[in-house]
Amino acid sequence: DYFGKYNFTLSSGIAIPQEDLKVGFTNAPNLSVGFGYRFARNFQLDTGFETVFGAADIRTFTDSEVGLVEINDRQYFIPFGGRAILPFGDAGRFEVYGGGGGTYLRYSEVLRQPSDYFRIPCTVCSSRSGWGYYGVVGFRGALNRGRNFWLGVNSKVVRGQTDGEQLGDIPPFETKDRWTFVQAEFTFSF
C-alpha cells in the first residue's frame, strides 16, 4: 500500500499549563510546525518546533533609544521522537496514531521590535529552559484519494523541568512543568 514518506504538518490550538505553571501561567494559543519521516507503513520519526504565545501574561514596557518598547513572553518547544500509525477505513484514508519522545523547553521574554531593519537588544528580558518528554495521540483523515492532504486533531502532553530566571510569577528555581496541547492539524504528505 502507498503511504507518503515525508509529512509536513501545521497545527494550531490551545496550550494549557499545569503543575507548577498553574499559578503563574494561563491558557494561551499555540502554533506548531513539524516534519515526519515515515520509514514504514506503521512507523514515523518526528521533529518540529512549537510555540505558545503569552502564557505567562507578561505585558510590560522598557525604555529604549526609540522610546517605550513592549515586552511579551513566548514558550518554545523542540520535540523529537516517533509515532506508531494505524491506517483504517477505505484504502487507508483514515489514521489513528500515538507516540512520544523527548523535548527541549525554553520560556523567554521577547522584545517587540519596532522594525525589521532596526533591532534593539533586550537587556532586561529573562528566560528559563530545560528538558522533558511528551506523548501524543491523534486522528486524521485524507482529503484526497492520493492521500497527500490530511486534516485531523491531536492532543499532546509535555512534561519537563525548567530552571533559570524569574519569568512572570514563576520563581527563579527549578519547576516541574506540564502542558496539554489540543490542536487541529493540516498535513501535506508525499
Side-chain angles (χ1 to χ4, degrees):
D1 288 341
Y2 168 80
F3 59 89
K5 287 190 176 205
Y6 306 100
N7 296 274
F8 293 92
T9 301
L10 179 65
S11 304
S12 183
I14 187 164
I16 304 162
Q18 297 164 330
E19 296 221 6
D20 290 350
L21 301 178
K22 242 179 156 175
V23 174
F25 282 33
T26 61
N27 297 353
N30 79 303
L31 183 65
S32 167
V33 292
F35 171 73
Y37 175 67
R38 195 163 172 178
F39 60 91
R41 177 177 160 87
N42 297 101
F43 299 100
Q44 177 174 302
L45 296 175
D46 293 315
T47 189
F49 177 78
E50 299 176 298
T51 187
V52 177
F53 301 95
D57 206 22
I58 296 171
R59 306 278 184 270
T60 188
F61 293 88
T62 187
D63 219 358
S64 73
E65 308 88 53
V66 296
L68 289 179
V69 182
E70 185 178 13
I71 296 176
N72 294 319
D73 65 284
R74 301 284 184 271
Q75 292 73 40
Y76 306 105
F77 305 84
I78 300 176
F80 49 92
R83 68 177 70 182
I85 303 164
L86 178 63
F88 66 95
D90 182 33
R93 291 186 63 184
F94 298 97
E95 295 179 345
V96 174
Y97 62 85
T103 189
Y104 174 72
L105 300 87
R106 182 167 179 84
Y107 313 152
S108 298
E109 291 179 329
V110 293
L111 194 68
R112 187 171 189 176
Q113 298 294 335
S115 166
D116 289 337
Y117 306 105
F118 178 71
R119 309 288 295 171
I120 300 171
C122 186
T123 58
V124 297
C125 293
S126 62
S127 67
R128 47 191 304 114
S129 61
W131 292 92
Y133 58 94
Y134 74 92
V136 64
V137 294
F139 168 81
R140 66 183 190 169
L143 299 175
N144 66 334
R145 284 183 183 252
R147 293 177 276 171
N148 299 103
F149 302 100
W150 298 79
L151 196 58
V153 295
N154 71 56
S155 180
K156 179 186 279 190
V157 174
V158 176
R159 296 187 74 136
Q161 296 178 333
T162 58
D163 195 3
E165 303 164 310
Q166 180 170 343
L167 188 75
D169 293 334
I170 302 301
F173 53 80
E174 187 173 88
T175 57
K176 292 182 190 228
D177 307 348
R178 187 172 78 201
W179 294 86
T180 300
F181 298 98
V182 179
Q183 308 175 107
E185 67 177 39
F186 173 78
T187 301
F188 173 63
S189 179
F190 63 96

